[in-house]
Amino acid sequence: MPDFKITGRRLFYPLVLHIIISLYLYLKEKTKSKRYSNLIKETNQQLITGICIIIFAALHIVNYSLGSVSDNADIFRTLSHIIVDNLLIVSIALHLRVSIPRLMISFGFLEGKNDYANAKSKINMFILVLLIIIFMAEAIFYIGGIL
């Protein structure tokens, strides 16, 4: 089993760098809000979901530091794990549904007139299917723990 303290430390610095760069770009794009209102709506969604990811990831770490679900947890701890984990997963999915198409534009993969809209709809569908699979797996895990 991997040491999550080491993994967490290695992921922390790139995450902080990502947050700093993203906040800089958010403030820079804010000045263009009148010309690109749709872009700013997506950027606001990225900012809000990014903040939610930080909050729910911290709550996730606190939840698991208090005890894992497999430790014969009471119903309130299990419910807390379910709620926090699902909100974290949804926040990440909503963040990625905007971030991935914009990343593809930045790297030059989407250059045609309708490429962005097509990629965005395909990515949205992929993330939706992935969410359904994750929620089903989580439901099976928790129901299996009850039985």
Side-chain angles (χ1 to χ4, degrees):
M1 183 160 213
D3 185 359
F4 291 108
K5 291 181 182 181
I6 292 172
T7 306
R9 270 188 256 139
R10 290 192 178 144
L11 294 176
F12 178 75
Y13 296 114
L15 178 66
V16 169
L17 183 64
H18 172 73
I19 291 169
I20 291 169
I21 291 170
S22 298
L23 285 174
Y24 168 74
L25 292 174
Y26 175 78
L27 295 173
K28 185 178 173 184
E29 286 181 2
K30 201 70 168 154
T31 60
K32 302 174 185 174
S33 63
K34 290 186 173 83
R35 288 189 299 179
Y36 304 108
S37 62
N38 194 32
L39 178 67
I40 293 301
K41 288 177 190 174
E42 290 181 347
T43 305
N44 287 337
Q45 179 181 342
Q46 279 181 302
L47 176 70
I48 292 166
T49 57
I51 291 169
C52 289
I53 290 168
I54 292 169
I55 292 169
F56 295 130
L59 289 173
H60 171 79
I61 292 167
V62 168
N63 263 348
Y64 280 91
S65 67
L66 296 175
S68 69
V69 179
S70 62
D71 292 340
N72 295 327
D74 60 2
I75 189 71
F76 296 110
R77 187 183 311 162
T78 302
L79 192 58
S80 173
H81 281 283
I82 292 170
I83 291 170
V84 169
D85 290 353
N86 283 328
L87 289 173
L88 177 61
I89 291 166
V90 168
S91 297
I92 292 170
L94 291 175
H95 192 77
L96 290 177
R97 76 171 277 281
V98 174
S99 301
I100 293 172
R102 292 176 79 183
L103 178 71
M104 292 175 75
I105 286 176
S106 297
F107 286 159
F109 295 122
L110 305 176
E111 295 177 351
K113 183 177 179 182
N114 294 323
D115 284 353
Y116 179 74
N118 292 336
K120 193 172 173 182
S121 67
K122 288 176 184 174
I123 289 167
N124 286 341
M125 188 59 66
F126 176 76
I127 288 175
L128 178 63
V129 168
L130 198 59
L131 275 175
I132 291 169
I133 292 169
I134 289 170
F135 291 147
M136 287 173 46
E138 190 173 19
I140 291 168
F141 172 79
Y142 284 110
I143 291 171
I146 294 171
L147 301 176

